[in-house]
Amino acid sequence: MAKQHFYSRVPARMSMFNKEDSCDTFAISEGVNLEEIKNELSVVNEIKFAKEETQLIQMGQLSPVYIQLVTQNGTLAQTAISYLSRDYTGERASYMSHTLLLNDKEKKEHLCSCDNAAFNTNCFKHDLSNFDFSSFDAKPITDCPDLPIPTQKADSLPCLLENYDNGMIKRLIYSLVAISCGKAKSLFLCFNTPMNELSQKSVSFLNTVLLLFPYHIRESLSFVSYSSDYNKFNSIKIKCMVEEDSSAPTSKGITLKMDIKDFAGVTDENIAANAMVVDFFYELISKEDIRKEFFRFCDTTIQNNDSLKKPTLKNITDLVLLFKVLGGFYSDRNVLKNDVDVYNYICVYDKNKEFLNEEYRSKSMEFLTRYPETQTAIPKNVFSKVSSIYPNAVEVTRHTVMETVLALIHTDTMREKLFTFIKNNFDSENDENKQIIFENICRVYYGGFLQKQILEFLSNYFTMASDDVKVNIVERLLLTVRSQSIQDEIVGFIDKYYSLFSDAEKNKFYQIFFDVLADADPLSRKLADIIDKYLEDSRKDDFKQNFIDIVNADSKICEKSICAVICTKCGTCESLIASKVFSGNCEDNLFSNFAFAVSKKDILSITDTFNEIWEVSPDLSEDLSNKFFDMLCENISNDTKPSFFTLISAYEKLEELKDNIPSSKLFIDKFENNIVCSNALMVFPTVFDVKKYPDGLNQAFEISNKYDFLKNSKEFVLLNSYFEALDSIKHGNNKTAFEYLEKIEGKPVRQGAAVHLKKDTDELTADNNKLLILLALDYLSFDGIRFVEATSKLAEQIVDDELIDVSLAIACDIYNSKVSDELKNLLICENSNLSDYISSYISSKDKKAKKEFLLKIDTLETNEEFKNVIKSFVNASRSANSGFFSKLFKK
């Protein structure tokens, strides 16, 4: 239902707003807004005649003009302007505007038809006969009834192809799109039709042409069915004119003279640049099913998308592109002819995807199938876009993309990118897709591609695989377990998931193990680690039989082969060999192979093997144990010395073994004495290496006090001397400090002891201790007692008179202690550091001070011999202010 509005020149009593004789509204439906009439409908109400038009009107030769436009608030206004040879006075020419107004909802229903005419001229009144302007009782009508607009079929679109040139139709399509987008001001449509027939011709033509466009374009195309002047109706976009009239300037817009195939303001370049849009709409003329589907597509796509609602060339192009790819009527390869087209499309789709319904989104990625079919890489920019879209895509789209990725990953292109895509999205896949992914990447893996990456992936997600897929995964991994580049990763996978393997998978694992074992492959040790961990009791008997058979066969033809591989770690496999070796009926070759392999282990592993041997052979005969001991000692490696602490750990393990298995005592005693203890004493001094063992001295001291073989050794003297020296220094006992420091022998040991001593005495603050510490550090580091260097470091903290007293006291204590003559000689020789220090001190004093110092020497607690030595150092020194020249120069 449409609201009505009537406007003409009326007497004052019929004037609704002006209240005077003038052009004004005189009839209106309820609810029509005055502001809208003034602001929006002035173009159809306020008509001015040219002189020639007045004459034609008076002669009744000017036919009605029809106008359609949409106001700013979205109301559809359809107007018939009827020219009246006489107005209500009977003297003047006039006109009447009859406007039908449809609100937004009614407008959309009216304009959305795919077949019906938008403008029905039969709905309008063309004269004033129904209105009594001459009556004294006449008043403005404010309650005109709403008027139903009956549907009227438009001429079918294919008629355009019959009546007009194809080139002109394409120019018409471009022109209508361009003016809807504001790319041109107006379109002047010119027909070879008499003036009085033009309006009906124009309305009929436009009713047909507008069927070609979706609603949001159609509503933007305002038109006037006849205009005699291109300067009139400036706000109307389409103006129909008689072909005889001159063409409008191109600055005013586009002129199309449809019947004579003439045009201006539109170029071939315009058509070529927008060929996809123009050709698409041209095609819709004859393809009604596509046209209807396109309209549905546009409605659903722009419904909530304000950015697309406004017609622009870009928006219309995007809509056409999206429809041609997603609508299902076109082959995407015809639309997206190259990678540039593909990228442009994916960008458009990405921008608008949230406004598309699921039906269209489900077809969005079908273009990807071209890449696996041609085995070519997806362009980098396209793949990046697809990757960003994928996580939130609908299920059908995800399936298409993943199907493409899985198809491409089997080709020689972009495997790493595709695998990264799979990893990034795997967690969000449904269970069915996950199984498909597993199967495909297993094939890629078996083909030798991305093996490390796929192994890591399988290790992370193996539990998500179905039982059948798990079997497939395990088979492929076991078949490639000999590959050196991925061997550790496969073994790690088996170790991680062995407990989840089915019996069939475990059987295949053991079959592989026995195959590599028979070849004495180093891989067998890695697999043996898994067997050592997980061998079930139910499998032990069968495993033992097969395992020993292979080991026996190997020992007859190979030297040190399987044993050299297997007997590097303790565990089930080594225990089985040990049980055979010490069973009493072992061939010498296997026995020697076993002994040789064990001898190459580190010391802790050897002790673990002993424990293993006595567990399987608790009653080992003395002959066999002696034979094993001899072979072991003969071949044991001395290339890399075990550390002191490692040897002690081994010793402790062996002691525990003797306690638990008395029969092992004789063997263990021999091994301890010949190997462990001797080596422990040999490397004992290394505990002073502060870099390797920051707390090594304390640990070694604690250990040594537990075991007599250490505590009673000469090596322990080094360690004990250090702690005695440290204790003496802490208590300021100068005599005993150097007695013990002298017993710390060997340059590396002494240097290590110096580092430990500095760290252990950092917190001592007494002055005498400070000097003693410095002298002790110098002695350990430089084998000398350096008073000059030590006192210089304390000169700022202690005055020189106090320093000399402390220094002499320490020197006397050292001389009187039980140190070697060599150490004492460091103090008393003529060129000793003590001599230099005393000389330096005396040279800063005058003669009086020198005499007083000589008297002080007599009070020292030492023998006369050492006192005389010190006096000789003093007398050999020259005091300050001695001699004429010294006084002169104040020296």
Side-chain angles (χ1 to χ4, degrees):
M1 300 289 283
K3 295 187 179 300
Q4 301 187 72
H5 176 259
F6 291 89
Y7 187 94
S8 185
R9 181 172 178 80
V10 295
R13 60 181 174 275
M14 289 293 288
S15 174
M16 188 172 291
F17 305 117
N18 299 333
K19 306 301 181 183
E20 62 182 30
D21 293 351
S22 65
C23 290
D24 196 4
T25 299
F26 62 89
I28 195 170
S29 297
E30 290 183 6
V32 177
N33 187 285
L34 171 61
E35 289 300 315
E36 186 174 18
I37 294 172
K38 288 185 175 181
N39 297 332
E40 305 292 342
L41 299 183
S42 60
V43 67
V44 298
N45 290 337
E46 298 173 6
I47 305 299
K48 294 181 180 180
F49 304 142
K51 180 182 289 188
E52 60 273 16
E53 286 180 329
T54 303
Q55 293 175 352
L56 291 171
I57 293 170
Q58 289 175 343
M59 296 168 60
Q61 294 180 2
L62 203 58
S63 61
V65 173
Y66 301 103
I67 300 174
Q68 178 172 289
L69 58 87
V70 175
T71 66
Q72 288 187 357
N73 67 356
T75 300
L76 175 65
Q78 293 185 332
T79 302
I81 301 175
S82 302
Y83 296 103
L84 309 176
S85 58
R86 295 290 182 267
D87 67 0
Y88 70 93
T89 66
E91 293 296 322
R92 287 175 296 193
S94 186
Y95 68 93
M96 181 182 75
S97 293
H98 180 195
T99 302
L100 301 180
L101 300 167
L102 287 82
N103 63 30
D104 193 60
K105 181 180 178 182
E106 294 166 337
K107 172 190 66 176
K108 188 166 186 179
E109 291 174 354
H110 184 71
L111 293 183
C112 274
S113 173
C114 292
D115 304 301
N116 293 331
F119 201 106
N120 187 347
T121 58
N122 297 324
C123 296
F124 297 92
K125 296 185 183 299
H126 298 288
D127 57 51
L128 302 173
S129 59
N130 291 339
F131 304 96
D132 187 4
F133 285 1
S134 298
S135 171
F136 286 100
D137 297 327
K139 292 182 179 180
I141 301 169
T142 58
D143 58 354
C144 281
D146 291 356
L147 184 69
I149 301 180
T151 58
Q152 181 185 40
K153 285 286 184 180
D155 293 338
S156 65
L157 276 166
C159 292
L160 294 174
L161 302 176
E162 298 172 6
N163 298 324
Y164 298 100
D165 176 73
N166 294 349
M168 290 300 294
I169 293 175
K170 288 189 176 183
R171 282 181 167 79
L172 173 65
I173 290 171
Y174 168 77
S175 301
L176 292 171
V177 170
I179 63 170
S180 74
C181 301
K183 289 294 183 180
K185 291 182 179 179
S186 299
L187 168 62
F188 300 96
L189 273 178
C190 302
F191 297 98
N192 187 18
T193 303
M195 180 179 60
N196 60 346
E197 297 176 11
L198 181 61
S199 278
Q200 285 295 337
K201 166 82 172 181
S202 299
V203 170
S204 177
F205 180 82
L206 289 171
N207 274 334
T208 301
V209 169
L210 290 178
L211 293 178
L212 195 56
F213 298 99
Y215 164 71
H216 73 293
I217 296 178
R218 200 182 293 185
E219 70 169 340
S220 70
L221 295 173
S222 58
F223 66 80
V224 56
S225 65
Y226 167 69
S227 176
S228 60
D229 184 353
Y230 54 76
N231 289 312
K232 292 182 68 175
F233 302 108
N234 284 331
S235 62
I236 303 298
K237 291 185 177 179
I238 304 172
K239 302 173 188 178
C240 297
M241 306 181 76
V242 177
E243 276 184 351
E244 294 177 355
D245 296 340
S246 61
S247 298
T250 54
S251 61
K252 291 286 186 177
I254 299 169
T255 300
L256 295 179
K257 298 185 177 182
M258 299 299 295
D259 296 318
I260 62 173
K261 306 175 189 178
D262 190 17
F263 56 89
V266 56
T267 65
D268 291 339
E269 288 76 13
N270 296 144
I271 307 300
N274 297 276
M276 184 177 71
V277 171
V278 172
D279 290 345
F280 173 73
F281 282 111
Y282 182 83
E283 183 182 355
L284 296 187
I285 295 173
S286 57
K287 293 187 177 179
E288 184 178 355
D289 55 341
I290 298 179
R291 179 167 58 90
K292 290 180 178 180
E293 183 60 26
F294 178 63
F295 289 177
R296 184 172 77 88
F297 172 80
C298 289
D299 286 343
T300 58
T301 302
I302 69 174
Q303 185 175 7
N304 298 311
N305 188 351
D306 291 336
S307 64
L308 275 179
K309 280 181 181 177
K310 182 180 180 181
T312 66
L313 277 175
K314 176 70 168 64
N315 285 346
I316 294 172
T317 303
D318 289 352
L319 281 169
V320 172
L321 175 62
L322 287 172
F323 176 74
K324 294 189 80 169
V325 176
L326 307 177
F329 292 94
Y330 302 86
S331 164
D332 64 70
R333 297 192 190 198
N334 291 332
V335 180
L336 311 176
K337 297 178 181 179
N338 52 51
D339 290 339
V340 174
D341 291 341
V342 168
Y343 180 68
N344 290 338
Y345 156 71
I346 200 69
C347 290
V348 172
Y349 173 77
D350 187 30
K351 179 181 176 182
N352 298 286
K353 61 183 181 295
E354 62 185 285
F355 304 107
L356 296 166
N357 62 27
E358 187 169 334
E359 174 190 357
Y360 298 124
R361 293 179 72 177
S362 65
K363 301 172 185 175
S364 61
M365 298 297 168
E366 290 180 354
F367 73 91
L368 288 172
T369 58
R370 68 182 66 184
Y371 297 106
E373 288 175 10
T374 56
Q375 295 193 12
T376 53
I378 301 172
K380 182 179 178 180
N381 52 1
V382 174
F383 189 67
S384 177
K385 279 287 186 184
V386 171
S387 298
S388 67
I389 291 169
Y390 185 82
N392 298 314
V394 296
E395 191 59 38
V396 177
T397 299
R398 288 171 64 93
H399 179 77
T400 301
V401 175
M402 187 57 74
E403 196 174 54
T404 300
V405 168
L406 293 176
L408 264 180
I409 204 169
H410 297 293
T411 67
D412 291 329
T413 182
M414 61 185 304
R415 279 195 179 94
E416 289 191 4
K417 286 185 178 180
L418 296 170
F419 183 66
T420 300
F421 176 90
I422 291 171
K423 283 197 305 180
N424 291 342
N425 294 286
F426 186 80
D427 287 329
S428 62
E429 296 296 319
N430 61 39
D431 190 60
E432 181 181 355
N433 285 349
K434 285 177 180 176
Q435 308 316 311
I436 295 171
I437 290 169
F438 278 131
E439 291 173 357
N440 278 273
I441 63 171
C442 274
R443 283 174 51 203
V444 175
Y445 164 83
Y446 196 56
F449 302 102
L450 303 174
Q451 289 187 317
K452 284 195 175 183
Q453 297 95 313
I454 291 176
L455 270 169
E456 181 183 1
F457 176 85
L458 294 175
S459 183
N460 291 334
Y461 293 108
F462 182 70
T463 55
M464 296 183 183
S466 65
D467 291 342
D468 290 342
V469 172
K470 283 178 181 174
V471 171
N472 185 26
I473 292 171
V474 173
E475 283 184 353
R476 298 299 171 93
L477 298 189
L478 290 175
L479 286 171
T480 55
V481 74
R482 287 182 184 270
S483 301
Q484 290 292 330
S485 61
I486 53 172
Q487 195 171 95
D488 290 340
E489 288 83 357
I490 296 175
V491 172
F493 177 91
I494 297 169
D495 182 27
K496 183 176 180 179
Y497 290 113
Y498 178 89
S499 60
L500 299 182
F501 288 2
S502 65
D503 284 341
E505 290 162 354
K506 289 177 181 177
N507 289 339
K508 289 175 182 175
F509 165 71
Y510 285 104
Q511 180 185 340
I512 293 291
F513 172 72
F514 290 133
D515 287 345
V516 298
L517 183 67
D519 295 336
D521 194 318
L523 170 63
S524 55
R525 177 62 260 172
K526 297 176 182 178
L527 300 182
D529 287 341
I530 297 171
I531 294 167
D532 290 344
K533 276 187 183 181
Y534 303 115
L535 182 64
E536 302 92 337
D537 291 339
S538 60
R539 290 180 177 271
K540 278 186 178 177
D541 291 340
D542 288 342
F543 177 81
K544 178 179 180 181
Q545 186 61 51
N546 289 327
F547 181 77
I548 293 301
D549 287 346
I550 293 171
V551 172
N552 277 336
D554 175 77
S555 65
K556 293 176 182 179
I557 59 173
C558 299
E559 185 178 351
K560 303 168 186 166
S561 54
I562 287 181
C563 286
V565 173
I566 295 297
C567 299
T568 57
K569 291 183 182 179
C570 295
T572 301
C573 294
E574 186 182 76
S575 291
L576 291 176
I577 295 176
S579 65
K580 179 65 178 175
V581 168
F582 296 102
S583 63
N585 59 352
C586 171
E587 298 203 15
D588 287 346
N589 204 24
L590 179 58
F591 190 96
S592 60
N593 287 352
F594 178 76
F596 182 83
V598 172
S599 72
K600 300 308 173 187
K601 290 184 173 186
D602 63 79
I603 196 71
L604 282 176
S605 296
I606 291 175
T607 58
D608 289 336
T609 300
F610 292 162
N611 187 64
E612 207 170 55
I613 291 169
W614 262 271
E615 278 187 4
V616 299
S617 302
D619 299 321
L620 186 63
S621 68
E622 187 174 347
D623 288 342
L624 267 180
S625 66
N626 287 337
K627 180 181 177 182
F628 179 65
F629 178 82
D630 291 340
M631 287 188 173
L632 191 65
C633 292
E634 180 183 346
N635 293 295
I636 200 163
S637 175
N638 290 317
D639 295 339
T640 55
K641 299 289 184 187
S643 73
F644 171 79
F645 298 104
T646 300
L647 288 161
I648 295 305
S649 295
Y651 181 82
E652 290 171 344
K653 283 187 175 183
L654 293 172
E655 288 293 296
E656 185 179 348
L657 179 59
K658 284 194 296 186
D659 292 341
N660 294 336
I661 307 176
S663 61
S664 68
K665 186 176 187 309
L666 292 175
F667 179 91
I668 299 302
D669 281 344
K670 283 201 296 182
F671 189 80
E672 283 180 346
N673 294 331
N674 288 273
I675 303 295
V676 179
C677 296
S678 60
N679 277 296
L681 293 174
M682 188 181 302
V683 299
F684 192 102
T686 60
V687 300
F688 283 89
D689 188 337
V690 73
K691 290 183 179 178
K692 286 185 178 179
Y693 313 111
D695 197 34
L697 298 187
N698 290 318
Q699 293 174 353
F701 191 79
E702 184 179 344
I703 291 168
S704 298
N705 282 310
K706 288 168 60 177
Y707 303 114
D708 290 341
F709 85 93
L710 291 173
K711 192 172 184 179
N712 298 329
S713 67
K714 63 182 178 61
E715 287 79 9
F716 179 67
V717 172
L718 299 173
L719 185 62
N720 189 61
S721 297
Y722 171 79
F723 282 107
E724 292 292 351
L726 177 63
D727 186 65
S728 297
I729 291 169
K730 286 181 176 180
H731 291 90
N733 192 333
N734 303 323
K735 289 183 180 180
T736 56
F738 275 85
E739 289 176 7
Y740 287 113
L741 287 172
E742 191 177 24
K743 294 178 182 179
I744 302 173
E745 298 177 340
K747 186 175 181 180
V749 173
R750 289 171 68 82
Q751 289 180 341
V755 177
H756 281 283
L757 181 63
K758 186 177 187 310
K759 180 181 68 173
D760 292 340
T761 57
D762 268 349
E763 297 181 359
L764 297 181
T765 57
D767 292 343
N768 58 330
N769 279 347
K770 289 180 180 178
L771 182 57
L772 179 58
I773 292 167
L774 291 172
L775 291 170
L777 291 173
D778 279 357
Y779 177 65
L780 290 172
S781 300
F782 304 105
D783 294 330
I785 303 176
R786 309 193 311 169
F787 284 94
V788 174
E789 291 78 3
T791 54
S792 66
K793 294 176 182 178
L794 298 174
E796 293 183 2
Q797 303 174 38
I798 308 172
V799 298
D800 55 354
D801 291 339
E802 292 180 9
L803 267 177
I804 196 70
D805 292 343
V806 175
S807 299
L808 289 176
I810 292 174
C812 291
D813 286 342
I814 295 172
Y815 192 83
N816 295 332
S817 64
K818 298 175 182 178
V819 297
S820 66
D821 290 340
E822 183 181 356
L823 179 54
K824 290 181 179 181
N825 192 53
L826 291 175
L827 298 173
I828 64 176
C829 68
E830 184 177 350
N831 297 319
S832 72
N833 192 277
L834 178 61
S835 170
D836 292 340
Y837 174 57
I838 292 173
S839 177
S840 175
Y841 173 77
I842 292 300
S843 65
S844 66
K845 305 294 180 181
D846 55 20
K847 287 184 177 181
K848 182 180 178 182
K850 180 177 180 180
K851 290 178 181 178
E852 291 175 352
F853 185 71
L854 287 170
L855 293 175
K856 184 187 289 187
I857 293 172
D858 290 330
T859 65
L860 294 175
E861 295 181 1
T862 185
N863 55 38
E864 291 299 321
E865 179 186 2
F866 191 57
K867 290 180 182 178
N868 291 333
V869 169
I870 297 173
K871 287 179 180 179
S872 68
F873 293 160
V874 174
N875 290 326
S877 303
R878 175 172 294 184
S879 302
N881 302 324
S882 59
F884 172 79
F885 289 105
S886 293
K887 290 178 181 178
L888 180 64
F889 294 106
K890 297 183 179 180
K891 291 184 178 179

